[in-house]
Amino acid sequence: MMRKLGIVGFGAAAIGFMQGLIENGRINHYHVTVFERGKDHMHNTISGVRMDGKIFISRGMGGELDIPIEIQQKTVIFYLTHSGYKPTLKEKTNMVEYLKSFEKDGKKIEYGESFSDEETYRIFYDHGFEPVKAYFFHLGTDVLKETNNNLFEYFSSFKNIEFSFDTTVEDIEIGDKHRVFTNKGEYLFDEVVIAVGRSGHKLMDRLKEKYPHLVKENYYVDIGIRYELPNHVMEKFLDMYEVKVRYKARTGYMCRLFCQNPSGKVTLEKYEDFTTVNGYSDTHHKTENTNFAVLVTTRFTEPFKDPTGYGKNLAKLANILAGDSEKVILQTYGDFKEYRRTKRLGRVLPTLNDNSFILGDANLVFPSKIRESLVDFIDRLDEVIKGVAYFDNLLYAVEVKFYSNKFNNDIIKNLHVIGDCSGWTRSIQYATSMGYLRA
Ligand SMILES: Cc1cc2nc3c(=O)[nH]c(=O)nc-3n(C[C@H](O)[C@H](O)[C@H](O)COP(=O)(O)OP(=O)(O)OC[C@H]3O[C@@H](n4cnc5c(N)ncnc54)[C@H](O)[C@@H]3O)c2cc1C
């Protein structure tokens, strides 16, 4: 008899898990129900599989798991193929060349390779940066729509996989069989996969409260800004796609450049009661600006136990100053550095909609250790990339990355917590690969 398997969430980790089941043939042992709170497969939950879609191959970022390179390559091929890209090289002997050759409508996949050139690596290293090596493949928000459609059709073609959209899982009762409570009713499963990403934090908080022995507390949060500057400043490093570096600031805090979007746009990331910033880029619609996040890792120790609350409150503070829970603060870098409120912009025009920000002073939001770390990072980067610290470059506050508590998957055999909600991943690549390996 087929076992009943419930999957909560249809994002990167669930995609990897289902693909894993299909490839190892175990899909035939299950009847799978996927619960997704989005209204259909094209819903636009804030997630990298809905927006931007930069898929990388790297062992130095993206999660705290050791994902073999061969699995990471498989993940890239899987997404590229479902985005309509096809390889123009037949030989897979040189995997990077093979992946770079993927093409769609006569256009090669957008590709970058960080720090493959030894001299560049050394220049950044000599300035105190820790360069991270990675290969980037960029799908773009526009192409992701097609990708999600193709993935949905592919999984739906299996008779034993069914989707239940507009269905929010509110609670799970763990037992020999697991009881899943949704806004549409209760369900009983032999096995359950929880893959709700960062946006599923409510369900995860509930489970943590009920089953504290399954999770290990996390004590850190990444807080910072989205930074925007003209494309030409970053032009020299465009072949990297993302200048992936970490840097220990003079405050002792670790900073990192994250999620770079050449010719991209800044966007809002809306939560239930606060709003932060993020960025993305399309494959077809290009802008004159590049954006990236500068994040400061803030670690706490006991008795403090609410890093998420700390990050949320800083984001809320920026919203309060902006006079609206759906607005953020925009400031020029020069004004930020000189503790002045920005009243007018200079040469760089924002790509975020005018009604999503107010010109203000982010110094009123950040504690001084975070503020000092941000300034130290940007000024140091300017020594290597001239123009990064121009007076009129733009700074949006606040960008926050919350880390979930780490889930122990070894305790309950028929319960699997995968992807970002497990606390072990923070990228499309690692979430998808974790799902794949778990399957
Ligand atoms: C704006 C943005 C851009 C990003 N860009 C990139 C990028 O370019 N490259 C990269 O590597 N990473 C990127 N990321 C990070 C990346 O999206 C995540 O690391 C990755 O998607 C995690 O996969 P996941 O399956 O754990 O969660 P997700 O992909 O977020 O999927 C979780 C799914 O669960 C659903 N869900 C949540 N709660 C419930 C519930 N209670 N009941 C039912 N369904 C529920 C959600 O609607 C969602 O569809 C980005 C993140 C954001 C926010």
PDB file of all heavy atoms in Angstrom, residues 245-276:
ATOM      1  N   VAL A 245      32.478  38.791  -0.803  1.00  0.00           N
ATOM      2  CA  VAL A 245      33.551  38.927   0.182  1.00  0.00           C
ATOM      3  C   VAL A 245      33.004  39.050   1.598  1.00  0.00           C
ATOM      4  O   VAL A 245      31.893  39.531   1.812  1.00  0.00           O
ATOM      5  CB  VAL A 245      34.430  40.186  -0.087  1.00  0.00           C
ATOM      6  CG1 VAL A 245      35.333  39.982  -1.274  1.00  0.00           C
ATOM      7  CG2 VAL A 245      33.578  41.447  -0.240  1.00  0.00           C
ATOM      8  N   ARG A 246      33.836  38.607   2.543  1.00  0.00           N
ATOM      9  CA  ARG A 246      33.559  38.839   3.962  1.00  0.00           C
ATOM     10  C   ARG A 246      34.677  39.729   4.491  1.00  0.00           C
ATOM     11  O   ARG A 246      35.781  39.762   3.933  1.00  0.00           O
ATOM     12  CB  ARG A 246      33.564  37.527   4.742  1.00  0.00           C
ATOM     13  CG  ARG A 246      32.531  36.543   4.277  1.00  0.00           C
ATOM     14  CD  ARG A 246      32.425  35.383   5.278  1.00  0.00           C
ATOM     15  NE  ARG A 246      31.594  34.323   4.730  1.00  0.00           N
ATOM     16  CZ  ARG A 246      32.058  33.183   4.234  1.00  0.00           C
ATOM     17  NH1 ARG A 246      33.356  32.920   4.243  1.00  0.00           N
ATOM     18  NH2 ARG A 246      31.240  32.281   3.744  1.00  0.00           N
ATOM     19  N   TYR A 247      34.382  40.411   5.595  1.00  0.00           N
ATOM     20  CA  TYR A 247      35.379  41.354   6.123  1.00  0.00           C
ATOM     21  C   TYR A 247      35.151  41.548   7.617  1.00  0.00           C
ATOM     22  O   TYR A 247      34.010  41.773   8.048  1.00  0.00           O
ATOM     23  CB  TYR A 247      35.211  42.688   5.380  1.00  0.00           C
ATOM     24  CG  TYR A 247      36.022  43.828   5.937  1.00  0.00           C
ATOM     25  CD1 TYR A 247      37.405  43.867   5.800  1.00  0.00           C
ATOM     26  CD2 TYR A 247      35.388  44.895   6.586  1.00  0.00           C
ATOM     27  CE1 TYR A 247      38.137  44.932   6.310  1.00  0.00           C
ATOM     28  CE2 TYR A 247      36.108  45.968   7.086  1.00  0.00           C
ATOM     29  CZ  TYR A 247      37.489  45.976   6.946  1.00  0.00           C
ATOM     30  OH  TYR A 247      38.201  47.028   7.452  1.00  0.00           O
ATOM     31  N   LYS A 248      36.207  41.428   8.388  1.00  0.00           N
ATOM     32  CA  LYS A 248      36.066  41.670   9.826  1.00  0.00           C
ATOM     33  C   LYS A 248      36.296  43.152  10.084  1.00  0.00           C
ATOM     34  O   LYS A 248      37.416  43.655   9.919  1.00  0.00           O
ATOM     35  CB  LYS A 248      37.063  40.820  10.600  1.00  0.00           C
ATOM     36  CG  LYS A 248      36.781  40.840  12.074  1.00  0.00           C
ATOM     37  CD  LYS A 248      37.551  39.741  12.757  1.00  0.00           C
ATOM     38  CE  LYS A 248      37.110  39.635  14.197  1.00  0.00           C
ATOM     39  NZ  LYS A 248      37.725  38.542  14.878  1.00  0.00           N
ATOM     40  N   ALA A 249      35.241  43.862  10.470  1.00  0.00           N
ATOM     41  CA  ALA A 249      35.338  45.312  10.671  1.00  0.00           C
ATOM     42  C   ALA A 249      36.110  45.630  11.938  1.00  0.00           C
ATOM     43  O   ALA A 249      36.326  44.759  12.784  1.00  0.00           O
ATOM     44  CB  ALA A 249      33.934  45.905  10.750  1.00  0.00           C
ATOM     45  N   ARG A 250      36.474  46.914  12.088  1.00  0.00           N
ATOM     46  CA  ARG A 250      37.269  47.257  13.276  1.00  0.00           C
ATOM     47  C   ARG A 250      36.459  47.125  14.564  1.00  0.00           C
ATOM     48  O   ARG A 250      37.011  47.103  15.654  1.00  0.00           O
ATOM     49  CB  ARG A 250      37.851  48.672  13.145  1.00  0.00           C
ATOM     50  CG  ARG A 250      36.846  49.740  12.877  1.00  0.00           C
ATOM     51  CD  ARG A 250      37.467  51.127  12.897  1.00  0.00           C
ATOM     52  NE  ARG A 250      36.434  52.091  12.545  1.00  0.00           N
ATOM     53  CZ  ARG A 250      36.339  52.689  11.362  1.00  0.00           C
ATOM     54  NH1 ARG A 250      37.230  52.450  10.436  1.00  0.00           N
ATOM     55  NH2 ARG A 250      35.357  53.520  11.116  1.00  0.00           N
ATOM     56  N   THR A 251      35.137  46.997  14.440  1.00  0.00           N
ATOM     57  CA  THR A 251      34.292  46.747  15.617  1.00  0.00           C
ATOM     58  C   THR A 251      34.426  45.304  16.084  1.00  0.00           C
ATOM     59  O   THR A 251      33.939  44.940  17.148  1.00  0.00           O
ATOM     60  CB  THR A 251      32.801  46.941  15.248  1.00  0.00           C
ATOM     61  OG1 THR A 251      32.531  46.097  14.127  1.00  0.00           O
ATOM     62  CG2 THR A 251      32.476  48.385  14.911  1.00  0.00           C
ATOM     63  N   GLY A 252      35.027  44.464  15.232  1.00  0.00           N
ATOM     64  CA  GLY A 252      35.123  43.031  15.543  1.00  0.00           C
ATOM     65  C   GLY A 252      33.976  42.253  14.915  1.00  0.00           C
ATOM     66  O   GLY A 252      33.957  41.027  14.945  1.00  0.00           O
ATOM     67  N   TYR A 253      32.998  42.965  14.339  1.00  0.00           N
ATOM     68  CA  TYR A 253      31.856  42.295  13.715  1.00  0.00           C
ATOM     69  C   TYR A 253      32.199  41.851  12.295  1.00  0.00           C
ATOM     70  O   TYR A 253      32.935  42.531  11.576  1.00  0.00           O
ATOM     71  CB  TYR A 253      30.652  43.243  13.632  1.00  0.00           C
ATOM     72  CG  TYR A 253      29.842  43.342  14.911  1.00  0.00           C
ATOM     73  CD1 TYR A 253      30.264  42.729  16.084  1.00  0.00           C
ATOM     74  CD2 TYR A 253      28.645  44.048  14.938  1.00  0.00           C
ATOM     75  CE1 TYR A 253      29.518  42.818  17.240  1.00  0.00           C
ATOM     76  CE2 TYR A 253      27.882  44.144  16.095  1.00  0.00           C
ATOM     77  CZ  TYR A 253      28.327  43.528  17.248  1.00  0.00           C
ATOM     78  OH  TYR A 253      27.580  43.620  18.376  1.00  0.00           O
ATOM     79  N   MET A 254      31.647  40.715  11.910  1.00  0.00           N
ATOM     80  CA  MET A 254      31.855  40.205  10.555  1.00  0.00           C
ATOM     81  C   MET A 254      30.827  40.846   9.613  1.00  0.00           C
ATOM     82  O   MET A 254      29.628  40.856   9.913  1.00  0.00           O
ATOM     83  CB  MET A 254      31.652  38.681  10.587  1.00  0.00           C
ATOM     84  CG  MET A 254      32.434  37.949   9.593  1.00  0.00           C
ATOM     85  SD  MET A 254      34.200  38.150   9.881  1.00  0.00           S
ATOM     86  CE  MET A 254      34.814  37.473   8.372  1.00  0.00           C
ATOM     87  N   CYS A 255      31.313  41.390   8.472  1.00  0.00           N
ATOM     88  CA  CYS A 255      30.404  41.994   7.483  1.00  0.00           C
ATOM     89  C   CYS A 255      30.534  41.194   6.204  1.00  0.00           C
ATOM     90  O   CYS A 255      31.578  40.598   5.942  1.00  0.00           O
ATOM     91  CB  CYS A 255      30.836  43.413   7.137  1.00  0.00           C
ATOM     92  SG  CYS A 255      30.980  44.471   8.549  1.00  0.00           S
ATOM     93  N   ARG A 256      29.497  41.251   5.380  1.00  0.00           N
ATOM     94  CA  ARG A 256      29.623  40.578   4.088  1.00  0.00           C
ATOM     95  C   ARG A 256      28.827  41.283   3.011  1.00  0.00           C
ATOM     96  O   ARG A 256      27.807  41.919   3.302  1.00  0.00           O
ATOM     97  CB  ARG A 256      29.215  39.112   4.184  1.00  0.00           C
ATOM     98  CG  ARG A 256      27.780  38.888   4.561  1.00  0.00           C
ATOM     99  CD  ARG A 256      27.551  37.413   4.908  1.00  0.00           C
ATOM    100  NE  ARG A 256      26.211  37.216   5.408  1.00  0.00           N
ATOM    101  CZ  ARG A 256      25.224  36.666   4.727  1.00  0.00           C
ATOM    102  NH1 ARG A 256      25.435  36.209   3.516  1.00  0.00           N
ATOM    103  NH2 ARG A 256      24.019  36.523   5.244  1.00  0.00           N
ATOM    104  N   LEU A 257      29.333  41.155   1.793  1.00  0.00           N
ATOM    105  CA  LEU A 257      28.588  41.648   0.632  1.00  0.00           C
ATOM    106  C   LEU A 257      27.739  40.471   0.170  1.00  0.00           C
ATOM    107  O   LEU A 257      28.217  39.344   0.056  1.00  0.00           O
ATOM    108  CB  LEU A 257      29.547  42.088  -0.469  1.00  0.00           C
ATOM    109  CG  LEU A 257      28.911  42.807  -1.667  1.00  0.00           C
ATOM    110  CD1 LEU A 257      29.931  43.757  -2.296  1.00  0.00           C
ATOM    111  CD2 LEU A 257      28.401  41.847  -2.719  1.00  0.00           C
ATOM    112  N   PHE A 258      26.475  40.739  -0.101  1.00  0.00           N
ATOM    113  CA  PHE A 258      25.538  39.653  -0.332  1.00  0.00           C
ATOM    114  C   PHE A 258      24.519  40.038  -1.400  1.00  0.00           C
ATOM    115  O   PHE A 258      24.110  41.199  -1.480  1.00  0.00           O
ATOM    116  CB  PHE A 258      24.828  39.371   1.004  1.00  0.00           C
ATOM    117  CG  PHE A 258      23.740  38.347   0.946  1.00  0.00           C
ATOM    118  CD1 PHE A 258      24.050  36.992   0.868  1.00  0.00           C
ATOM    119  CD2 PHE A 258      22.412  38.713   0.993  1.00  0.00           C
ATOM    120  CE1 PHE A 258      23.050  36.037   0.818  1.00  0.00           C
ATOM    121  CE2 PHE A 258      21.397  37.764   0.957  1.00  0.00           C
ATOM    122  CZ  PHE A 258      21.724  36.429   0.874  1.00  0.00           C
ATOM    123  N   CYS A 259      24.136  39.105  -2.218  1.00  0.00           N
ATOM    124  CA  CYS A 259      23.035  39.263  -3.177  1.00  0.00           C
ATOM    125  C   CYS A 259      23.216  40.484  -4.083  1.00  0.00           C
ATOM    126  O   CYS A 259      22.421  41.413  -4.047  1.00  0.00           O
ATOM    127  CB  CYS A 259      21.709  39.346  -2.426  1.00  0.00           C
ATOM    128  SG  CYS A 259      20.268  39.343  -3.493  1.00  0.00           S
ATOM    129  N   GLN A 260      24.280  40.447  -4.868  1.00  0.00           N
ATOM    130  CA  GLN A 260      24.536  41.559  -5.804  1.00  0.00           C
ATOM    131  C   GLN A 260      23.654  41.409  -7.044  1.00  0.00           C
ATOM    132  O   GLN A 260      23.498  40.296  -7.565  1.00  0.00           O
ATOM    133  CB  GLN A 260      26.009  41.533  -6.194  1.00  0.00           C
ATOM    134  CG  GLN A 260      26.398  42.681  -7.111  1.00  0.00           C
ATOM    135  CD  GLN A 260      27.894  42.702  -7.341  1.00  0.00           C
ATOM    136  OE1 GLN A 260      28.673  42.299  -6.473  1.00  0.00           O
ATOM    137  NE2 GLN A 260      28.311  43.146  -8.509  1.00  0.00           N
ATOM    138  N   ASN A 261      23.099  42.518  -7.497  1.00  0.00           N
ATOM    139  CA  ASN A 261      22.236  42.493  -8.680  1.00  0.00           C
ATOM    140  C   ASN A 261      22.679  43.528  -9.700  1.00  0.00           C
ATOM    141  O   ASN A 261      22.260  44.686  -9.639  1.00  0.00           O
ATOM    142  CB  ASN A 261      20.786  42.767  -8.266  1.00  0.00           C
ATOM    143  CG  ASN A 261      20.253  41.669  -7.378  1.00  0.00           C
ATOM    144  OD1 ASN A 261      20.092  40.544  -7.813  1.00  0.00           O
ATOM    145  ND2 ASN A 261      20.025  41.981  -6.115  1.00  0.00           N
ATOM    146  N   PRO A 262      23.530  43.135 -10.652  1.00  0.00           N
ATOM    147  CA  PRO A 262      23.946  44.070 -11.696  1.00  0.00           C
ATOM    148  C   PRO A 262      22.740  44.494 -12.522  1.00  0.00           C
ATOM    149  O   PRO A 262      21.870  43.664 -12.819  1.00  0.00           O
ATOM    150  CB  PRO A 262      24.926  43.245 -12.543  1.00  0.00           C
ATOM    151  CG  PRO A 262      25.258  42.043 -11.732  1.00  0.00           C
ATOM    152  CD  PRO A 262      24.113  41.803 -10.818  1.00  0.00           C
ATOM    153  N   SER A 263      22.666  45.772 -12.882  1.00  0.00           N
ATOM    154  CA  SER A 263      21.547  46.313 -13.678  1.00  0.00           C
ATOM    155  C   SER A 263      20.200  45.924 -13.076  1.00  0.00           C
ATOM    156  O   SER A 263      19.259  45.583 -13.791  1.00  0.00           O
ATOM    157  CB  SER A 263      21.601  45.788 -15.122  1.00  0.00           C
ATOM    158  OG  SER A 263      22.868  46.003 -15.677  1.00  0.00           O
ATOM    159  N   GLY A 264      20.143  45.933 -11.749  1.00  0.00           N
ATOM    160  CA  GLY A 264      18.947  45.426 -11.062  1.00  0.00           C
ATOM    161  C   GLY A 264      18.080  46.503 -10.449  1.00  0.00           C
ATOM    162  O   GLY A 264      18.211  47.693 -10.755  1.00  0.00           O
ATOM    163  N   LYS A 265      17.193  46.038  -9.564  1.00  0.00           N
ATOM    164  CA  LYS A 265      16.264  46.953  -8.900  1.00  0.00           C
ATOM    165  C   LYS A 265      16.215  46.641  -7.410  1.00  0.00           C
ATOM    166  O   LYS A 265      16.356  45.476  -7.008  1.00  0.00           O
ATOM    167  CB  LYS A 265      14.849  46.755  -9.448  1.00  0.00           C
ATOM    168  CG  LYS A 265      14.630  47.395 -10.786  1.00  0.00           C
ATOM    169  CD  LYS A 265      13.166  47.293 -11.135  1.00  0.00           C
ATOM    170  CE  LYS A 265      12.931  47.849 -12.516  1.00  0.00           C
ATOM    171  NZ  LYS A 265      11.640  47.456 -13.052  1.00  0.00           N
ATOM    172  N   VAL A 266      15.953  47.687  -6.639  1.00  0.00           N
ATOM    173  CA  VAL A 266      15.742  47.498  -5.203  1.00  0.00           C
ATOM    174  C   VAL A 266      14.247  47.281  -5.017  1.00  0.00           C
ATOM    175  O   VAL A 266      13.425  47.853  -5.723  1.00  0.00           O
ATOM    176  CB  VAL A 266      16.238  48.727  -4.417  1.00  0.00           C
ATOM    177  CG1 VAL A 266      15.911  48.590  -2.932  1.00  0.00           C
ATOM    178  CG2 VAL A 266      17.742  48.890  -4.615  1.00  0.00           C
ATOM    179  N   THR A 267      13.895  46.404  -4.062  1.00  0.00           N
ATOM    180  CA  THR A 267      12.482  46.105  -3.850  1.00  0.00           C
ATOM    181  C   THR A 267      12.180  46.036  -2.354  1.00  0.00           C
ATOM    182  O   THR A 267      13.108  45.982  -1.541  1.00  0.00           O
ATOM    183  CB  THR A 267      12.113  44.769  -4.542  1.00  0.00           C
ATOM    184  OG1 THR A 267      10.719  44.551  -4.415  1.00  0.00           O
ATOM    185  CG2 THR A 267      12.843  43.588  -3.946  1.00  0.00           C
ATOM    186  N   LEU A 268      10.911  46.041  -2.011  1.00  0.00           N
ATOM    187  CA  LEU A 268      10.534  45.899  -0.602  1.00  0.00           C
ATOM    188  C   LEU A 268      10.324  44.427  -0.298  1.00  0.00           C
ATOM    189  O   LEU A 268       9.915  43.656  -1.168  1.00  0.00           O
ATOM    190  CB  LEU A 268       9.233  46.647  -0.315  1.00  0.00           C
ATOM    191  CG  LEU A 268       9.248  48.165  -0.445  1.00  0.00           C
ATOM    192  CD1 LEU A 268       7.888  48.738  -0.035  1.00  0.00           C
ATOM    193  CD2 LEU A 268      10.350  48.801   0.409  1.00  0.00           C
ATOM    194  N   GLU A 269      10.580  44.046   0.950  1.00  0.00           N
ATOM    195  CA  GLU A 269      10.251  42.704   1.414  1.00  0.00           C
ATOM    196  C   GLU A 269       9.238  42.902   2.539  1.00  0.00           C
ATOM    197  O   GLU A 269       9.599  43.359   3.629  1.00  0.00           O
ATOM    198  CB  GLU A 269      11.540  42.020   1.917  1.00  0.00           C
ATOM    199  CG  GLU A 269      11.376  40.562   2.184  1.00  0.00           C
ATOM    200  CD  GLU A 269      12.711  39.854   2.481  1.00  0.00           C
ATOM    201  OE1 GLU A 269      13.749  40.212   1.866  1.00  0.00           O
ATOM    202  OE2 GLU A 269      12.711  38.973   3.335  1.00  0.00           O
ATOM    203  N   LYS A 270       7.975  42.596   2.248  1.00  0.00           N
ATOM    204  CA  LYS A 270       6.916  42.921   3.221  1.00  0.00           C
ATOM    205  C   LYS A 270       6.591  41.735   4.109  1.00  0.00           C
ATOM    206  O   LYS A 270       6.300  40.649   3.622  1.00  0.00           O
ATOM    207  CB  LYS A 270       5.658  43.369   2.477  1.00  0.00           C
ATOM    208  CG  LYS A 270       5.826  44.715   1.822  1.00  0.00           C
ATOM    209  CD  LYS A 270       4.547  45.201   1.172  1.00  0.00           C
ATOM    210  CE  LYS A 270       4.866  46.467   0.403  1.00  0.00           C
ATOM    211  NZ  LYS A 270       3.806  46.909  -0.468  1.00  0.00           N
ATOM    212  N   TYR A 271       6.654  41.952   5.409  1.00  0.00           N
ATOM    213  CA  TYR A 271       6.222  40.956   6.387  1.00  0.00           C
ATOM    214  C   TYR A 271       4.876  41.422   6.935  1.00  0.00           C
ATOM    215  O   TYR A 271       4.391  42.486   6.544  1.00  0.00           O
ATOM    216  CB  TYR A 271       7.253  40.836   7.503  1.00  0.00           C
ATOM    217  CG  TYR A 271       8.545  40.218   7.032  1.00  0.00           C
ATOM    218  CD1 TYR A 271       9.528  40.993   6.412  1.00  0.00           C
ATOM    219  CD2 TYR A 271       8.787  38.860   7.175  1.00  0.00           C
ATOM    220  CE1 TYR A 271      10.717  40.425   5.956  1.00  0.00           C
ATOM    221  CE2 TYR A 271       9.967  38.282   6.727  1.00  0.00           C
ATOM    222  CZ  TYR A 271      10.927  39.074   6.117  1.00  0.00           C
ATOM    223  OH  TYR A 271      12.090  38.504   5.668  1.00  0.00           O
ATOM    224  N   GLU A 272       4.305  40.609   7.868  1.00  0.00           N
ATOM    225  CA  GLU A 272       2.968  40.987   8.340  1.00  0.00           C
ATOM    226  C   GLU A 272       2.928  42.384   8.953  1.00  0.00           C
ATOM    227  O   GLU A 272       2.023  43.153   8.696  1.00  0.00           O
ATOM    228  CB  GLU A 272       2.463  39.959   9.351  1.00  0.00           C
ATOM    229  CG  GLU A 272       1.717  38.829   8.660  1.00  0.00           C
ATOM    230  CD  GLU A 272       1.667  37.566   9.484  1.00  0.00           C
ATOM    231  OE1 GLU A 272       1.496  37.671  10.715  1.00  0.00           O
ATOM    232  OE2 GLU A 272       1.818  36.476   8.897  1.00  0.00           O
ATOM    233  N   ASP A 273       3.916  42.717   9.788  1.00  0.00           N
ATOM    234  CA  ASP A 273       3.815  43.997  10.485  1.00  0.00           C
ATOM    235  C   ASP A 273       5.057  44.885  10.337  1.00  0.00           C
ATOM    236  O   ASP A 273       5.248  45.816  11.115  1.00  0.00           O
ATOM    237  CB  ASP A 273       3.493  43.771  11.973  1.00  0.00           C
ATOM    238  CG  ASP A 273       4.477  42.812  12.611  1.00  0.00           C
ATOM    239  OD1 ASP A 273       5.227  42.156  11.871  1.00  0.00           O
ATOM    240  OD2 ASP A 273       4.505  42.720  13.850  1.00  0.00           O
ATOM    241  N   PHE A 274       5.893  44.587   9.374  1.00  0.00           N
ATOM    242  CA  PHE A 274       7.034  45.469   9.098  1.00  0.00           C
ATOM    243  C   PHE A 274       7.553  45.212   7.681  1.00  0.00           C
ATOM    244  O   PHE A 274       7.154  44.232   7.033  1.00  0.00           O
ATOM    245  CB  PHE A 274       8.149  45.281  10.141  1.00  0.00           C
ATOM    246  CG  PHE A 274       8.792  43.921  10.121  1.00  0.00           C
ATOM    247  CD1 PHE A 274       9.973  43.709   9.442  1.00  0.00           C
ATOM    248  CD2 PHE A 274       8.220  42.838  10.776  1.00  0.00           C
ATOM    249  CE1 PHE A 274      10.572  42.458   9.410  1.00  0.00           C
ATOM    250  CE2 PHE A 274       8.806  41.585  10.764  1.00  0.00           C
ATOM    251  CZ  PHE A 274       9.982  41.395  10.081  1.00  0.00           C
ATOM    252  N   THR A 275       8.420  46.099   7.220  1.00  0.00           N
ATOM    253  CA  THR A 275       8.908  45.997   5.840  1.00  0.00           C
ATOM    254  C   THR A 275      10.416  46.218   5.806  1.00  0.00           C
ATOM    255  O   THR A 275      10.930  47.126   6.464  1.00  0.00           O
ATOM    256  CB  THR A 275       8.211  47.071   4.969  1.00  0.00           C
ATOM    257  OG1 THR A 275       6.808  46.848   5.048  1.00  0.00           O
ATOM    258  CG2 THR A 275       8.640  46.991   3.520  1.00  0.00           C
ATOM    259  N   THR A 276      11.103  45.396   5.040  1.00  0.00           N
ATOM    260  CA  THR A 276      12.550  45.560   4.882  1.00  0.00           C
ATOM    261  C   THR A 276      12.860  45.736   3.386  1.00  0.00           C
ATOM    262  O   THR A 276      11.940  45.807   2.582  1.00  0.00           O
ATOM    263  CB  THR A 276      13.298  44.321   5.431  1.00  0.00           C
ATOM    264  OG1 THR A 276      12.878  43.185   4.680  1.00  0.00           O
ATOM    265  CG2 THR A 276      13.002  44.094   6.905  1.00  0.00           C
TER     266      THR A 276
END
